[in-house]
Amino acid sequence: MVILSVDYGRVRTGVAVCDRNEIIASPVEVIKETDMSVLAEKISYIAKEKKAEMIVLGLPRNMDGTEGESAENVRIFSEILKEKTGLEVALHDERGTTVTAHRYLNMTDTRGKKRKAVVDSVAAVIILEDYMNFRRNHI
C-alpha cells in the first residue's frame, strides 16, 4: 500500500511516501504553510500525485505519554486532511522523531539552511518507517 507520511508543523510540514510494498520510505518535500486548510489542499495534491492510499500523521506526545496543544492541533488537522483527501488518516506517535532526524543529519554533516530545509521531511520518513514496522508486526 502506498502510504503518505506527514510531520505536521505550524510553519513547516514534512512529507514522505513509501513504495507499494512498504519497504522504502522516501522524503517528498517540506511545505511552508501556516493555514491548515491550504496545507491540507497541498497535501491532497501530493497524495493524488503519489497515488497514496492512506496517510499517517505524526501525533506529538510528551515523553510521559500525555498530549498537549500540539497534539490537539494535529487532531484538528487530521480531520481537515480526511475531508480534503478522502483518505484514511492514521495518527501515529512521533515521540523522538525530530531528535532522531537531527542525529541522522549530524551523521551526514548537514548544517545551516540545508538542514532546516530537510529536517521535517527526514522526520516524516522516520514516522513512516516506524509506522511500516508497526504494520508488519501488528496487522
Side-chain angles (χ1 to χ4, degrees):
M1 173 185 302
V2 177
I3 304 170
L4 198 72
S5 172
V6 178
D7 179 35
Y8 174 78
R10 287 187 184 168
V11 176
R12 287 181 312 277
T13 297
V15 181
V17 69
C18 72
D19 62 298
R20 184 162 300 286
N21 296 319
E22 298 180 35
I23 296 171
I24 299 172
S26 305
V28 174
E29 70 178 279
V30 174
I31 302 168
K32 285 187 175 183
E33 181 58 62
T34 58
D35 183 284
M36 285 186 184
S37 185
V38 173
L39 177 60
E41 283 289 340
K42 291 179 179 182
I43 293 170
S44 179
Y45 176 79
I46 294 169
K48 287 177 187 148
E49 179 181 75
K50 299 294 182 182
K51 297 178 174 55
E53 300 166 74
M54 78 170 290
I55 296 172
V56 61
L57 180 59
L59 180 65
R61 289 195 167 131
N62 299 318
M63 284 309 191
D64 65 1
T66 60
E67 294 183 7
E69 182 182 346
S70 294
E72 181 58 31
N73 287 333
V74 165
R75 289 186 182 282
I76 292 166
F77 182 64
S78 73
E79 293 303 317
I80 296 168
L81 200 52
K82 282 179 197 175
E83 184 180 308
K84 297 275 186 190
T85 64
L87 297 173
E88 172 189 355
V89 177
L91 298 176
H92 190 71
D93 190 345
E94 68 166 35
R95 276 181 280 188
T97 56
T98 301
V99 171
T100 302
H102 281 291
R103 270 194 223 122
Y104 287 168
L105 294 172
N106 285 341
M107 290 169 31
T108 61
D109 201 29
T110 305
R111 304 270 181 234
K113 288 183 182 180
K114 184 170 183 168
R115 183 184 189 109
K116 195 173 188 177
V118 300
V119 69
D120 297 300
S121 62
V122 173
V125 167
I126 295 165
I127 291 166
L128 185 50
E129 287 175 341
D130 190 51
Y131 186 72
M132 290 187 305
N133 284 334
F134 170 80
R135 283 176 54 88
R136 274 187 222 104
N137 294 318
H138 295 96
I139 296 177

